[in-house]
Amino acid sequence: MFDRKEKGDRAVLVLPHSRGEGDTARRAEEFAELVKSAGAEVLGVVAARVEDPNPRYYIGSGKADEVAEAARALEADVVLVDHVLTPVQERNLEKHLGIRVVDRAGLILDIFAQRARSHEGKLEVELAQLKHLATRLVRGWTHLDAQRGGAIGNRGPGETQLETDRRLIGVRVKMLTKRLEKVQVQRGQQRRSRLRNTVPQVALVGYTNAGKSTLFNALTTGDVYAANLLFATLDPTVRKLEDLSCGPAVLADTVGFIRELPHDLVAAFRATLAEARDADLLLHVSDAADEERERLHRVVDNVLEEIDAGDVPQLHIMNKIDLAGSEPRIDRDAAGKPVRVWLSAATGVGLDLLRQALGELLGGERVQSALLLPLTAGRLHARLKAAGAISGETVDEHGWQLRIDAPRSVIAPLSGGDPTETQLLRELLAVAE
């Protein structure tokens, strides 16, 4: 066996493909972008036709020899494989090549580790990494077979370094899981608070690098990092979305999706993805200039199904029309409902159409009326204000003179169960009909 180097980013890429796989050039380009996002230098590429995966190496033994020769000739210190390998295949390849081997899942996990900034994001990434690592400890490093013992206090059967590492990983996984449960409880409380205020919840989803964060910044006062890199942002960010005809809403930016996203990573990022699952509306952002956008739509929809968000209504956003040469517009279904908005988040063209579509989808029938609210109804006044239902008000000894302008769906549930408040809202809604 060999001793792993502490760090190395000079890479040879292995690109497995099969006959019916589709656009292998696009897949290779995407993997190269992943490698770029990880900060590695690509020295060479080896394509490998794989119709019947080799249980030992995944690629054929002859192709494994070719990769070994390329790695030696180019003095590479890591081989990156564009496929998810089993622990046995990864271990056998490392032994055969004599250098580190990282599969697609490991590479994505490494990128996530570099990008996470919040306490929650770092916990989620570390948990996913440890779960991934736990299956790959066997004989990956020469020191793992060393038996403890021999010195005073350590004599006897002892335990191997492998067993020690497994035990320590198990302890760390339990600790991280408990910490994340606490964070998720806190985030759940924040979401429930927003729901109690009946503010509509909107979440951005889409294939990574489709321009979600740029759109988020354009629609809000957010300052989410946006760059032409895969997984440029990871941590969930929530901002208020204003200037809509339906009143204010809450907009959440979520992690970008990608094909073959590691299952452990999807499971770990429950808190981030919960913003999509609990939303009233998903803005499914796509790159209008991408010829593969329909296939990428299906990838995103598959991940949404996996996190139980497949039934959440979607509005498709065709972004980057400045690159596609398209005009800003709203596409509608037979009933006149907006289903697709064409825009450019980078230039701002079409953002007004998106706000119009959001107002229509989130608003429904509006209530526009005057309301005299007695001073004893302070809680209802606070709820109406938090929901953005008050367009103007004055107050005197008789109470609040309010001008109400909000969707009926926002006002109807605001009474909180109090009979007096319920009657006031019932009268308001009756007058507005």
Side-chain angles (χ1 to χ4, degrees):
M1 295 304 293
F2 65 96
D3 286 319
R4 289 168 175 255
K5 296 180 181 179
E6 288 297 320
K7 184 178 181 182
D9 54 8
R10 293 166 50 83
V12 168
L13 311 188
V14 178
L15 306 179
H17 62 91
S18 59
R19 181 177 303 168
E21 190 171 342
D23 191 351
T24 56
R26 170 59 186 263
R27 183 181 178 115
E29 179 183 348
E30 182 183 278
F31 190 63
E33 287 297 317
L34 278 174
V35 175
K36 173 186 174 183
S37 296
E41 176 189 0
V42 178
L43 302 179
V45 177
V46 177
R49 180 77 169 269
V50 179
E51 300 298 341
D52 186 17
N54 185 327
R56 183 175 178 82
Y57 301 127
Y58 182 75
I59 59 177
S61 56
K63 188 62 66 171
D65 292 336
E66 181 182 339
V67 174
E69 181 179 348
R72 284 193 298 269
L74 297 171
E75 298 183 352
D77 36 40
V78 63
V79 169
L80 304 176
V81 182
D82 186 22
H83 199 276
V84 178
L85 303 177
T86 67
V88 171
Q89 289 167 342
E90 186 174 312
R91 185 166 66 247
N92 288 337
L93 267 178
E94 286 196 333
K95 182 178 180 180
H96 186 75
L97 303 178
I99 59 174
R100 286 185 304 129
V101 172
V102 177
D103 69 354
R104 181 182 179 84
L107 179 62
I108 293 175
L109 286 169
D110 181 83
I111 296 171
F112 271 55
Q114 295 181 48
R115 297 284 191 274
R117 292 293 179 268
S118 71
H119 174 64
E120 177 185 13
K122 290 177 181 178
L123 289 177
E124 288 171 325
V125 171
E126 184 180 355
L127 179 60
Q129 284 184 312
L130 288 175
K131 288 182 176 180
H132 182 76
L133 177 63
T135 62
R136 286 162 165 74
L137 283 179
V138 182
R139 300 182 186 277
W141 293 264
T142 54
H143 76 281
L144 292 183
D145 290 325
Q147 189 86 18
R148 293 183 60 197
I152 295 176
N154 285 330
R155 301 187 198 281
E159 72 179 348
T160 65
Q161 185 65 46
L162 174 61
E163 292 167 339
T164 301
D165 286 358
R166 279 178 172 165
R167 176 171 51 79
L168 293 176
I169 284 178
V171 170
R172 181 69 177 168
V173 165
K174 289 181 181 179
M175 183 186 70
L176 289 173
T177 301
K178 289 182 179 179
R179 287 186 180 178
L180 272 174
E181 287 173 352
K182 291 181 179 179
V183 172
Q184 288 156 10
V185 167
Q186 294 171 353
R187 189 170 286 277
Q189 291 172 341
Q190 294 170 357
R191 279 195 297 273
R192 285 193 295 274
S193 176
R194 295 200 300 267
L195 290 172
R196 281 197 300 269
N197 289 333
T198 67
V199 178
Q201 315 294 302
V202 182
L204 290 165
V205 298
Y207 207 77
T208 187
N209 210 25
K212 294 187 297 79
S213 295
T214 303
L215 180 59
F216 181 87
N217 289 336
L219 287 173
T220 71
T221 56
D223 54 355
V224 172
Y225 176 67
N228 188 27
L229 291 172
L230 301 188
F231 304 120
T233 55
L234 298 181
D235 300 312
T237 307
V238 179
R239 295 286 187 274
K240 193 172 184 180
L241 182 59
E242 299 182 299
D243 299 327
L244 301 180
S245 62
C246 62
V250 170
L251 182 65
D253 190 16
T254 64
V255 64
F257 299 158
I258 197 169
R259 63 179 175 81
E260 298 177 23
L261 195 62
H263 178 74
D264 284 339
L265 203 53
V266 173
F269 270 72
R270 289 191 301 270
T272 302
L273 299 174
E275 298 291 351
R277 187 176 60 245
D278 297 340
D280 299 303
L281 177 68
L282 298 179
L283 300 186
H284 186 157
V285 184
S286 300
D287 182 348
D290 192 337
E291 296 178 355
E292 291 286 304
R293 62 176 182 264
E294 293 301 327
R295 182 181 65 82
L296 303 185
H297 280 173
R298 292 192 293 271
V299 172
V300 174
D301 286 338
N302 289 340
V303 177
L304 291 172
E305 289 287 347
E306 187 175 351
I307 64 172
D308 300 323
D311 295 331
V312 180
Q314 293 187 21
L315 174 64
H316 285 272
I317 308 300
M318 307 305 293
N319 190 24
K320 305 184 183 181
I321 60 171
D322 51 318
L323 302 179
S326 302
E327 293 297 321
R329 68 179 189 272
I330 298 178
D331 294 341
R332 300 177 181 272
D333 61 14
K337 179 181 176 182
V339 293
R340 189 177 294 105
V341 178
W342 298 73
L343 55 79
S344 170
T347 65
V349 173
L351 290 180
D352 55 334
L353 297 179
L354 175 55
R355 292 182 183 276
Q356 176 186 333
L358 286 173
E360 294 180 33
L361 293 173
L362 298 175
E365 182 184 358
R366 296 193 69 79
V367 174
Q368 295 176 313
S369 180
L371 174 65
L372 173 59
L373 205 60
L375 295 175
T376 55
R379 289 179 301 178
L380 178 56
H381 176 265
R383 281 193 287 271
L384 286 166
K385 192 167 187 177
I390 301 174
S391 62
E393 67 174 294
T394 59
V395 61
D396 57 26
E397 67 274 11
H398 302 294
W400 288 282
Q401 300 282 348
L402 304 180
R403 290 193 299 277
I404 301 298
D405 184 1
R408 180 176 294 271
S409 59
V410 167
I411 294 175
L414 289 180
S415 68
D418 182 273
T420 302
E421 295 176 353
T422 301
Q423 182 61 30
L424 285 167
L425 290 180
R426 186 177 295 135
E427 292 174 359
L428 171 65
L429 295 173
V431 168
E433 288 181 349

